[in-house]
Amino acid sequence: MSLAAASAMALTAGVIAAPAAYTADDSVEVIVDGDNVRSDNKNGLTYKGLGVLSCNSTSNLLMDYKAEHPERYWQLIRVLFGGKSPLINHVKIEMGTDTNTSTGSDPATMRTPDELADASRSPGFQLAADAKTVNPNLKVSILRWEMPEWVQKEWDKGTGSDDMYQWYKETILDAYEKYGYMVDYVDPDKNETRDPDESFIKWYKNAILTDTDFANPRYNIPAGKQDKVRKAYQKIKIVASDENNTHNIGPALLSDKQLFDTVDAVGYHYNTDDRREGDPGGDTYLPYTKLATGENKYDEDKEVWYSEGTASFGYTEYRVNNTEGPNGTSTGIGGVQSALDLANRLVKSYANSKRTHYIFQPAIGSFYEGAQYSHKELVSARDPWSGYFHYDAAVYVMQHFTQFAKTGWENDTNTAGIWRTVPEASYSGVSGTENVDGSNGAPSYMTLADPRKKDFSTVVVNDSDRFKTYRIKAENMRLGDPTMEIWETRGADAGQAYGANLKHLVDEIQPDSNGYYTYTVKPRSIVTLTTLDKSHDKAMKQRLPESGNRTVLDTDATGKKRDTSDNVLYADDFGYEEEGDVQVGTGNGARKVSQPYLKSRGNQPRYMVDQTGAWEVGKDARGNNVLYQYTDQSMNDTHAWNRNTPNTTVGDFRWENYKATVDVSFPDRDGGLATLGVRQQKGMAAGDAAYNVRIAPNGTWTFYEYGTEVKKGNVAPADSYRLAIEAKGARITTFIDGKSVYTYEDPTPQMEGRVKLGTDFYKTAFDNLKVEKVDGYTPYAGAQLDNMDSSVGYEGTWNRKSSFGDAMDWYRSTSTSTEAGASFTVPFTGTGIDVIGGNDGSAVLDVYVDGKLVAKNAKTSSTDKRLATYMLRGLPDGRHTAKFVLASGKIVLDAFNTFSGHVEGAVDTTPIRNSLDKVGTPSQADYTADSWALFDSAFSAATAASARQKGLDTIGVDQIANRLDVAYDRLVRADVTGADAP
């Protein structure tokens, strides 16, 4: 039985029956019947497309991109939100509370009930304002996860409804006053609740409808505009209930007419399926399908959203090099958690639960890597100083849905022409409910149609290794030109460039004598079969912007201008006189206005990603700008998901040898604690910096390695201190007010990472942050290669994993081997290379550089993720090829950091000269060829380096000397028989 015929057998209460049993080799028959195009269904079956969730610091660095590289930022706005067929047409904002509820913290718009709301603190409100400059019809919604402490205290007593309403209302009106748009939707309930608060949802909607107070001076609404604002405000719609995996709000709406009338849109997270409990006619059996189709007891359709879901994991250009397909082949752009998995989520969530809107958490990853849930976005924007953006191929995959239909929200008169989804011509048999797997070869397709029945598009996802034939027939449609275009996205064929097959027109076909369009879909691909004429549309041929160079943060003393020639890596005095005005969208997208730097961003500091706390620039007692952490004992919210003391992160993950300095002071008379940390790679607590010092006003200081106390001491009590930590190689020195108080020699050092600032729950001030290079040491890694980068070569047996990868692995991918003789080869430019990955230290490596053996049976270190398990330094500055052969043990590869020859100050080569003196001038004839080859390589390198080779630093000196010592100790005399002997 064909799929369409099987589906047509049962249409009861909106339930589309699953097709009869099929085999993966069956052709798939799809009937697009115009009688099934429900043009009168304005809410549930209108295809709204895609949205983005801004929350939990995921958008923080975007405001820096706008200030530093406005041309690149506004290009992003056009790519994601602009054009005739916008990719994204909804910005959902999760209201911040200065607490960490995921990857970080977003600022609270109101920290006390008396404070005036400031929506400009939250990058989500400004992102929406800027997006409206290219799409005024963009929708904006808000919800909360937690709440400010002043609301929480009343809420816990059962008297917080008015306080909650005040927080929402004043934030909404402030965004209206600043940006000119009214929020379209509010979810009054808690994000990811499992028990929807139905009574408060009803109460909140009634409060909106009956609210007539818009003259309060706190709202700053001119008298002549108050009636207009009231009318717009009272049109705000209600969305509920943003559950995670549970399905309670759907049945609740069907069983409660008052709740049904209150809620305009329903949504839930991370699950493609509907609820299937009880009798098919009951409220718990396919409730969301019944709501969307309108085939329910109220004969009214509701919007149903996939109100929070992931994007693809990692970078697609890296994923294509995995070995997760049959017999160790690649899954191409597909596989679990891939771009095709994402496409299947859209299809299956519609086919199974009739959801016509998918919201990414997030679509844009604009926070530092190493925080929770890294690398699951369409666009990566993490280096605002460089202007680097990475647009993933998943964007092209998503365009297969949005560029072949008119998406969005239908208007009140049902004349906007938004395309309808067609349930009878949509189906998905792929496995899974969140991370879906299409490798079973099951059909997966979704049909969208013009409500006038003049055109339609069927999106087909084939995330399997088999070819799949589709036969599509249009009935009761009013098609003009019957030509069907076939647009395809898939991975590159052998010998092709990576992007050769990304969203391109591959064919134009005609129906056969029986009216069927027949097309065979290739493995690991997505195709859109459309009757629209898109072949001459310039937007279809437009490629995504190039990423650009991901340069390291290295500025002059202002912190603004790139300068690699001085001794400063970065500086911030929080005055920002060097910053110019910033363009901000306003007037509901009608125009852009120029605003002073700090005003444009709600006084948020440059380049800082907050993990917990309220970090904001303010005036000190002398009227100077300083950085404050404002969260004090009265705001200490114990309801945070990730409960840490306040801390924020700044800088480049590639920084290595540097000295960080900051002034700290304690304006809160009740207490305080200030933290400075260095070499932070991952985590969301102050103690996640590898080395950090904490000091209190009483002069007690403590030095920590990660969260473990190493040393404690005391200095004189004071209201302020200058803290500094110098990290050079394994030696970490702490300074207080310019005086060294402790030096720590780490036997297993972490070598790279950013700067952390932290406090306790007391208002604390920071000023004059400076990060400086250290004489004699390379300051940073110049570049990073992922283990899945196509330039990295592999021989032997490797498990190259990209599905279900850990967020703490770069791009969620690793390459692992336990086979003796397996090797990996890395081309690079510079003076050294680090092998990064979480390892148990069992791997033993033979290391070759440019064909010469430089290390034999080299040990690796037991390391956590993102740290170096093996470091090779001291090479001549230039192009090299390093080959690593696994002699024994297990090696896990995540990434490779490479180092340039940029070194400040003099370098002492005495260790090399001492090693040369020690070995003397042995004769080659006295030793075996194999042992001499290693010694000769080390001796030649040491001889060249002793003459102060370009790019040599102190770590390189130590490694060259050590390699020579080891090679000399391993010389084997040629006249020794039997067991080898030195």
Side-chain angles (χ1 to χ4, degrees):
M1 183 182 294
S2 74
L3 291 179
S7 296
M9 289 180 62
L11 179 55
T12 304
V15 180
I16 306 302
Y22 70 91
T23 67
D25 296 327
D26 286 343
S27 63
V28 182
E29 184 175 306
V30 182
I31 303 299
V32 182
D33 190 337
D35 291 343
N36 295 327
V37 180
R38 296 165 174 79
S39 58
D40 59 339
N41 183 310
K42 297 195 299 182
N43 302 304
L45 299 182
T46 48
Y47 192 62
K48 298 152 201 72
L50 307 174
V52 56
L53 177 57
S54 177
C55 64
N56 304 321
S57 81
T58 57
S59 302
N60 277 22
L61 296 174
L62 276 182
M63 297 302 99
D64 295 304
Y65 273 92
K66 180 156 70 164
E68 301 282 334
H69 295 275
E71 71 290 345
R72 296 281 281 163
Y73 173 83
W74 290 105
Q75 181 184 54
L76 172 80
I77 295 297
R78 292 192 298 272
V79 169
L80 294 187
F81 302 100
K84 294 185 296 184
S85 303
L87 182 75
I88 294 172
N89 47 32
H90 174 198
V91 174
K92 176 181 175 181
I93 302 161
E94 190 173 294
M95 299 261 281
T97 58
D98 300 318
T99 60
N100 188 317
T101 47
S102 187
T103 55
S105 61
D106 259 21
T109 56
M110 294 176 65
R111 296 191 173 112
T112 68
D114 297 326
E115 182 183 33
L116 294 178
D118 188 354
S120 66
R121 291 173 178 164
S122 173
F125 285 102
Q126 193 167 149
L127 176 64
D130 293 341
K132 278 181 169 285
T133 64
V134 296
N135 179 10
N137 294 321
L138 177 115
K139 299 296 184 183
V140 182
S141 68
I142 64 171
L143 82 163
R144 64 179 173 90
W145 191 326
E146 299 300 343
M147 57 191 86
E149 188 66 8
W150 62 275
V151 181
Q152 186 74 62
K153 289 176 181 176
E154 295 302 317
W155 191 263
D156 290 345
K157 292 187 292 186
T159 58
S161 295
D162 289 338
D163 301 88
M164 185 79 74
Y165 185 80
Q166 178 190 355
W167 176 38
Y168 285 167
K169 177 182 178 180
E170 294 196 20
T171 299
I172 291 168
L173 295 182
D174 186 67
Y176 181 86
E177 188 269 329
K178 285 184 169 72
Y179 305 120
Y181 64 79
M182 184 62 69
V183 164
D184 298 284
Y185 292 86
V186 173
D187 182 349
D189 208 351
K190 180 177 179 178
N191 178 57
E192 297 197 343
T193 179
R194 292 180 176 271
D195 183 20
D197 192 342
E198 297 165 20
S199 62
F200 182 67
I201 293 170
K202 295 174 185 177
W203 180 93
Y204 182 82
K205 177 64 172 181
N206 181 68
I208 285 180
L209 293 176
T210 58
D211 193 342
T212 58
D213 176 19
F214 293 88
N216 192 318
R218 291 176 61 86
Y219 308 153
N220 197 30
I221 302 172
K225 293 184 178 181
Q226 289 169 11
D227 190 56
K228 176 183 177 182
V229 173
R230 177 188 61 80
K231 290 178 180 178
Y233 182 80
Q234 291 180 346
K235 289 181 179 179
I236 291 175
K237 295 182 178 181
I238 300 299
V239 56
S241 58
D242 282 284
E243 297 168 68
N244 183 7
N245 283 297
T246 56
H247 304 79
N248 295 320
I249 196 66
L253 263 66
L254 292 173
S255 62
D256 183 338
K257 184 62 165 63
Q258 183 185 3
L259 186 65
F260 184 93
D261 291 340
T262 297
V263 175
D264 301 281
V266 296
Y268 55 101
H269 303 176
Y270 304 116
N271 191 312
T272 56
D273 285 353
D274 209 327
R275 184 170 175 174
R276 296 173 182 266
E277 296 175 10
D279 185 88
D283 294 338
T284 57
Y285 193 83
L286 298 183
Y288 298 93
T289 298
K290 293 172 182 175
L291 287 168
T293 60
E295 296 176 17
N296 53 61
K297 66 184 74 174
Y298 309 120
D299 292 323
E300 184 179 337
D301 57 287
K302 295 285 186 181
E303 299 178 34
V304 184
W305 298 355
Y306 198 126
S307 53
E308 181 178 322
T310 65
S312 56
F313 286 53
Y315 283 9
T316 299
E317 62 261 44
Y318 295 155
R319 290 184 59 97
V320 298
N321 294 318
N322 66 37
T323 59
E324 296 173 315
N327 301 314
T329 59
S330 167
T331 61
I333 66 168
V336 179
Q337 298 182 332
S338 68
L340 292 186
D341 173 341
L342 177 57
N344 268 327
R345 293 181 204 207
L346 268 64
V347 173
K348 189 170 184 178
S349 65
Y350 174 71
N352 284 20
S353 49
K354 303 300 173 288
R355 282 183 280 180
T356 56
H357 187 39
Y358 188 101
I359 302 173
F360 296 102
Q361 206 294 77
I364 311 166
S366 200
F367 58 97
Y368 293 131
E369 300 100 330
Q372 191 167 249
Y373 303 131
S374 298
H375 302 302
K376 57 163 193 173
E377 62 265 342
L378 301 181
V379 182
S380 179
R382 293 185 162 92
D383 295 344
W385 48 86
S386 70
Y388 173 90
F389 281 100
H390 175 268
Y391 294 83
D392 194 77
V395 173
Y396 291 116
V397 172
M398 292 298 95
Q399 287 174 345
H400 276 269
F401 296 87
T402 61
Q403 289 193 333
F404 297 93
K406 185 173 183 179
T407 66
W409 277 256
E410 190 53 84
N411 59 26
D412 292 338
T413 58
N414 198 16
T415 56
I418 304 302
W419 281 31
R420 269 52 170 181
T421 53
V422 186
E424 296 81 1
S426 304
Y427 172 78
S428 181
V430 300
S431 63
T433 58
E434 180 190 351
N435 299 308
V436 298
D437 184 356
S439 62
N440 61 4
S444 187
Y445 59 92
M446 177 178 174
T447 298
L448 310 171
D450 175 4
R452 300 169 299 173
K453 308 178 185 181
K454 292 185 176 181
D455 283 294
F456 73 91
S457 299
T458 299
V459 184
V460 176
V461 187
N462 181 14
D463 193 7
S464 77
D465 294 290
R466 308 160 191 170
F467 289 86
K468 196 75 180 175
T469 298
Y470 280 76
R471 301 178 68 238
I472 302 176
K473 184 178 183 180
E475 295 181 349
N476 300 314
M477 297 288 286
R478 296 194 291 270
L479 304 180
D481 182 353
T483 301
M484 174 174 279
E485 295 179 358
I486 315 296
W487 291 79
E488 175 194 69
T489 291
R490 59 185 177 88
D493 295 326
Q496 285 186 318
Y498 160 73
N501 298 320
L502 300 179
K503 203 193 68 179
H504 63 303
L505 180 64
V506 293
D507 206 350
E508 295 185 357
I509 60 177
Q510 301 290 329
D512 62 19
S513 59
N514 294 316
Y516 284 92
Y517 299 92
T518 301
Y519 187 76
T520 299
V521 181
K522 293 179 180 178
R524 305 292 183 185
S525 71
I526 181 172
V527 298
T528 300
L529 304 98
T530 184
T531 59
L532 292 170
D533 181 3
K534 289 284 188 174
S535 60
H536 302 294
D537 187 342
K538 293 182 180 179
M540 300 300 297
K541 299 177 182 178
Q542 189 168 356
R543 299 291 89 182
L544 294 172
E546 295 293 328
S547 296
N549 294 322
R550 196 172 184 187
T551 54
V552 179
L553 178 57
D554 186 351
T555 73
D556 62 9
T558 69
K560 170 73 172 177
K561 183 179 178 182
R562 180 168 173 79
D563 186 353
T564 61
S565 64
D566 63 4
N567 72 331
V568 176
L569 275 177
Y570 181 63
D572 194 343
D573 63 5
F574 307 106
Y576 302 120
E577 290 84 359
E578 69 279 3
E579 297 284 359
D581 286 354
V582 178
Q583 292 275 289
V584 177
T586 189
N588 195 34
R591 60 190 179 277
K592 299 175 188 175
V593 298
S594 292
Q595 294 183 349
Y597 179 80
L598 281 172
K599 180 181 178 181
S600 75
R601 52 199 287 135
N603 294 312
Q604 300 302 293
R606 180 173 57 200
Y607 296 165
M608 290 190 173
V609 175
D610 301 344
Q611 309 302 153
T612 296
W615 298 85
E616 193 168 301
V617 176
K619 298 291 185 183
D620 65 10
R622 295 173 295 176
N624 298 321
N625 281 1
V626 298
L627 175 65
Y628 285 111
Q629 194 294 112
Y630 283 105
T631 304
D632 59 20
Q633 293 294 303
S634 69
M635 306 173 193
N636 183 357
D637 187 349
T638 58
H639 293 74
W641 189 28
N642 297 310
R643 299 181 185 179
N644 294 308
T645 54
N647 69 98
T648 189
T649 308
V650 63
D652 200 304
F653 71 91
R654 293 161 292 191
W655 285 351
E656 181 168 286
N657 299 294
Y658 60 87
K659 182 178 182 180
T661 305
V662 69
D663 295 334
V664 300
S665 58
F666 306 98
D668 193 329
R669 296 296 93 185
D670 292 331
L673 184 74
T675 300
L676 172 65
V678 298
R679 292 183 175 172
Q680 182 272 348
Q681 277 288 345
K682 61 187 180 69
M684 300 182 295
D688 289 317
Y691 313 103
N692 57 91
V693 63
R694 307 173 194 182
I695 193 166
N698 65 6
T700 299
W701 61 266
T702 311
F703 177 84
Y704 293 83
E705 182 179 9
Y706 292 108
T708 301
E709 180 181 318
V710 176
K711 184 72 173 179
K712 179 173 284 187
N714 290 279
V715 295
D719 292 333
S720 63
Y721 300 97
R722 172 164 290 184
L723 297 181
I725 300 180
E726 181 181 70
K728 52 182 184 182
R731 176 171 289 186
I732 316 299
T733 303
T734 298
F735 301 83
I736 299 177
D737 292 335
K739 180 180 179 180
S740 171
V741 296
Y742 180 62
T743 296
Y744 175 57
E745 294 282 350
D746 191 345
T748 57
Q750 175 178 325
M751 294 298 292
E752 294 158 13
R754 309 176 187 93
V755 169
K756 274 274 193 188
L757 303 178
T759 73
D760 202 346
F761 287 100
Y762 295 94
K763 181 180 178 182
T764 309
F766 296 80
D767 201 3
N768 300 315
L769 173 66
K770 182 178 286 188
V771 185
E772 300 171 280
K773 301 169 186 175
V774 178
D775 283 351
Y777 288 81
T778 301
Y780 46 73
Q784 183 185 82
L785 283 175
D786 191 66
N787 75 95
M788 290 279 190
D789 192 276
S790 294
S791 67
V792 182
Y794 291 86
E795 294 181 358
T797 301
W798 290 88
N799 175 22
R800 309 191 68 196
K801 176 183 176 182
S802 58
S803 297
F804 299 108
D806 193 312
M808 295 304 103
D809 290 319
W810 286 100
Y811 310 107
R812 295 184 181 248
S813 67
T814 55
S815 295
T816 304
S817 185
T818 58
E819 180 185 68
S823 66
F824 54 100
T825 303
V826 188
F828 70 97
T829 299
T831 62
I833 183 170
D834 285 0
V835 179
I836 308 294
N839 279 275
D840 60 11
S842 66
V844 176
L845 303 173
D846 294 338
V847 183
Y848 299 81
V849 176
D850 302 328
K852 291 185 178 181
L853 182 67
V854 299
K856 180 73 173 177
N857 293 328
K859 294 181 179 180
T860 58
S861 299
S862 176
T863 49
D864 199 356
K865 294 174 182 291
R866 294 186 182 248
L867 306 186
T869 190
Y870 182 79
M871 297 166 52
L872 177 64
R873 307 291 182 87
L875 304 178
D877 193 15
R879 290 188 176 183
H880 300 287
T881 299
K883 182 177 182 180
F884 302 84
V885 181
L886 182 62
S888 62
K890 174 184 177 181
I891 187 73
V892 179
L893 306 177
D894 183 8
F896 309 96
N897 286 353
T898 63
F899 295 83
S900 72
H902 178 73
V903 182
E904 296 286 337
V907 178
D908 184 3
T909 59
T910 299
I912 297 176
R913 295 194 299 273
N914 289 342
S915 292
L916 286 169
D917 291 342
K918 172 185 172 182
V919 305
T921 56
S923 172
Q924 179 178 356
D926 293 338
Y927 300 97
T928 62
D930 287 346
S931 66
W932 182 262
L934 180 62
F935 173 79
D936 186 56
S937 174
F939 186 84
S940 297
T943 302
S946 66
R948 300 185 185 276
Q949 72 182 24
K950 180 184 176 183
L952 184 64
D953 79 338
T954 302
I955 295 174
V957 166
D958 291 340
Q959 284 208 5
I960 290 170
N962 180 260
R963 288 198 290 269
L964 178 57
D965 292 344
V966 170
Y968 180 68
D969 291 342
R970 291 183 179 180
L971 280 172
V972 178
R973 297 192 66 85
D975 56 356
V976 174
T977 58
D980 288 346

